[in-house]
DNA sequence: TGAAATTCCGATTATTTTAATCGGATTTTA
DNA sequence: TAAAATCCGATTAAAATAATCGGAATTTCA
């Protein structure tokens, strides 16, 4: 962290998954999604590819291709989304990792307590699902978004 | 985030506060702490100054000066430590912040759900205290640390 | 069958953030 | 008054994040 801030990559992924969750059974291309959601195309397309590789999205090649949510929003945990996009990262480097990685290891007394905190964070991101993202979406913003879809798709 | 990782600044601060919590009623200079805890002096001294400014540490000038924990570990929340070291930072830029900061604001549907997640994170870092850090410290590492203290202070 | 639209893949560049360092002023002790 | 310390601002170095570039493979459809 600095404190706790999602990277743009994650923020974009969450927004996209939310959109796809609200519009299931339909394929959207990276280009369309980038225009609808106002996200840089080159960047978003890499994120989409990763989500597809992790089977969170279905993807199709070709002119009619694109992406589609492949899982039930209720079953898609934040922790899965995060692991699809990044190597697992913990509050401190040595949690779950090689202790030799830090030269302070032998005298560092925060490892075990940090392990405890990490568990709580893991619990939090495992108990939050895409469904939560869908349920709490703000209504007026949903309307704005739907208008943008019409504008982009014509 | 990338995912959730404390900055070195925070990691150093936690380790230092833990050490000072285990050795109350005594002043340690930035130089001593940097040697005992194996943390770059220049960097640590800035961190200590911030903690002192936030009244988490007592500080004294001069040759016999140094730092000392000024609060009860049970009363010192992680959230206080984090705010002492950084501007408040949230899971996404717009939470609690100016919406105009993000050009996607009008169509971004994750704001409200992110607000919910932020609350849970805030709750977590408010319910974790320095005492937790002290309680869960690993015993064998404490011994290593105590040896290091003798080695440094003679 | 071939042009267009797409996903996919690797590499590079630019930007921002984090980490570390430098120089020096102020305060206290002895 | 010299030494040891906190304090303060600025700069530099390193690392991580964000964005871009170039092109290969796949599918659609005229």
């Amino acid at each position: 962290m600095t404190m706790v801030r999602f990277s743009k990559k994650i923020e974009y992924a969450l927004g996209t998954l939310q959109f796809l969750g609200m519009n299931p059974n339909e394929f959207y291309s990276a280009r369309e999604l980038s225009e609808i959601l106002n996200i840089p195309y080159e960047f978003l397309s890499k994120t989409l590819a990763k989500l597809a590789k992790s089977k969170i999205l279905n993807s199709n090649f070709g002119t009619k291709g694109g992406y589609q949510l492949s899982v039930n929003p209720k079953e898609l945990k934040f922790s899965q989304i995060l692991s699809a996009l990044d190597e697992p990262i913990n509050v401190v480097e040595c949690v779950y990792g090689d202790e030799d990685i830090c030269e302070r290891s032998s005298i560092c007394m925060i490892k075990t307590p940090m392990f405890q905190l990490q568990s709580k964070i893991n619990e939090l991101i495992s108990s939050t699902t895409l469904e939560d993202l869908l349920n709490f979406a703000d209504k007026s913003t949903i309307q704005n978004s739907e208008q943008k879809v019409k504008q982009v798709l014509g």
Side-chain angles (χ1 to χ4, degrees), chain A:
Chain A
M1 325 199 209
T2 58
M3 201 164 300
V4 179
R5 163 69 46 91
F6 286 126
S7 63
K8 284 291 174 187
K9 179 169 58 176
I10 292 173
E11 189 182 322
Y12 294 161
L14 294 177
T16 307
L17 288 168
Q18 185 186 48
F19 176 81
L20 292 173
M22 299 179 87
N23 301 276
N25 311 320
E26 206 147 346
F27 280 84
Y28 294 89
S29 73
R31 180 69 64 185
E32 286 169 343
L33 291 169
S34 108
E35 288 179 19
I36 292 169
L37 300 167
N38 201 21
I39 298 171
Y41 165 75
E42 311 274 4
F43 197 45
L44 178 61
S45 56
K46 310 210 76 163
T47 303
L48 292 167
K50 283 190 179 180
L51 292 172
K53 200 170 182 181
S54 300
K55 312 285 188 189
I56 292 171
L57 298 180
N58 291 325
S59 66
N60 281 339
F61 278 85
T63 45
K64 288 283 185 183
Y67 298 92
Q68 177 191 54
L69 194 64
S70 76
V71 296
N72 185 330
K74 193 181 292 188
E75 309 296 333
L76 182 57
K77 301 171 179 175
F78 266 40
S79 53
Q80 294 175 275
I81 301 172
L82 298 180
S83 339
L85 299 174
D86 289 296
E87 292 303 304
I89 289 182
N90 308 296
V91 287
V92 289
E93 208 171 13
C94 53
V95 170
Y96 304 132
D98 187 356
E99 297 202 349
D100 296 343
I101 214 165
C102 176
E103 54 181 24
R104 298 178 49 255
S105 181
S106 69
I107 53 157
C108 171
M109 301 182 290
I110 69 169
K111 281 175 293 187
T112 307
M114 286 297 105
F115 190 94
Q116 314 258 337
L117 181 61
Q118 184 68 52
S119 301
K120 291 184 182 172
I121 290 174
N122 291 349
E123 197 182 313
L124 178 58
I125 62 178
S126 299
S127 62
T128 307
T129 69
L130 180 58
E131 196 185 34
D132 299 320
L133 215 48
L134 298 174
N135 285 341
F136 293 117
D138 179 69
K139 285 191 180 176
S140 74
T141 317
I142 293 178
Q143 289 184 337
N144 289 343
S145 175
E146 283 169 353
Q147 273 205 312
K148 182 86 188 215
V149 174
K150 283 176 193 163
Q151 183 192 318
V152 170
L153 302 184

